[in-house]
Amino acid sequence: MANTNNPFGLVPYRDSTGRPWTGGAKLYSVPASDGTALYPGDPVILAGSADADGIPTVTIATAAGGNYLLGAVVAVEPTMGAGANGRDSTVHRAASTARYVWVADDPNTEFLIQEDAVGGALAATDVGLNADLISGSASTAYSQSGWQLDTSTKATTNTLQLKILGFAQKVGNEIGANAKVRVKINLHALNNTTGY
C-alpha cells in the first residue's frame, strides 16, 4: 500500500535517549514586521533580536545547506480578547501579525517529517545520511506546515540541515515515496558557536 502524500513539516517525536517528546517547548516572538505566515511544523531560526519584554524573535528558516535551524513551531499563542488574534484566532500565525510561537528547540529532539521523493524515494541504505529541507504550501484549512525532507539533497555532506535517523515505525508507513522518517537537526542554531 502506498504512503499518503500529506506533508506536515517537522513534528517532535522523542529525544535522543528514546523517551517520547513530552511537549517541552520555548516561547518566541514574531513581530508584525515579519511578512511570512508560520504554521505548526514550520522550521524557524533566530532573527537576532527580541521584543520589548526580551523574548527572542524568530522567523521562518531557509531551506538549503549551510542554513541553521532553531527548531519547529509546535503552537501559536493566542492573544487576549476576541478577534483575529484572540480567542477566535487561527491556529497558525498569519503574515504581518505580532504573535508568540512555541518552538521545540532542544538540539536532542528527534522529529518526524515526510520525504518528498522528488530525488527518488529514500531507501533503507540512506539512513545515516544528511539532507536539506524543502519548503511547500501550508494547509490553511488544517493550519499545517508543508515543509518536507528534500530527497534530492541526500548525501554525507556535513553542512546539510537534517540527519536521517530511520523510518517511522507506524502503521501505514513503509519505505518508499512519501515515507515518514525520523530526523534530527544537523545544523542546530544552539550548537552553532557563531552568534546571530
Side-chain angles (χ1 to χ4, degrees), residues 103-182:
V103 177
D105 66 355
D106 184 340
N108 295 314
T109 300
E110 292 182 12
F111 296 88
L112 294 183
I113 190 168
Q114 178 177 293
E115 56 111 301
D116 68 351
V118 172
L122 292 178
T125 53
D126 294 325
V127 172
L129 293 179
N130 297 332
D132 280 331
L133 288 163
I134 187 167
S135 62
S137 299
S139 167
T140 54
Y142 298 105
S143 289
Q144 183 171 288
S145 175
W147 286 68
Q148 298 181 79
L149 183 147
D150 184 355
T151 59
S152 68
T153 64
K154 65 185 180 184
T156 57
T157 311
N158 66 354
T159 55
L160 297 172
Q161 295 173 305
L162 303 174
K163 167 78 69 186
I164 302 167
L165 301 175
F167 292 82
Q169 299 299 302
K170 52 193 257 180
V171 175
N173 188 51
E174 60 185 37
I175 296 175
N178 305 125
K180 285 42 173 188
V181 294
R182 290 187 305 108

Side-chain angles (χ1 to χ4, degrees), residues 57-93:
T57 55
V58 292
T59 189
I60 194 76
T62 302
N67 291 308
Y68 280 76
L69 308 171
L70 174 65
V73 174
V74 293
V76 177
E77 184 80 13
T79 58
M80 298 300 291
N85 288 329
R87 69 166 191 260
D88 301 323
S89 63
T90 60
V91 180
H92 68 276
R93 180 241 173 213

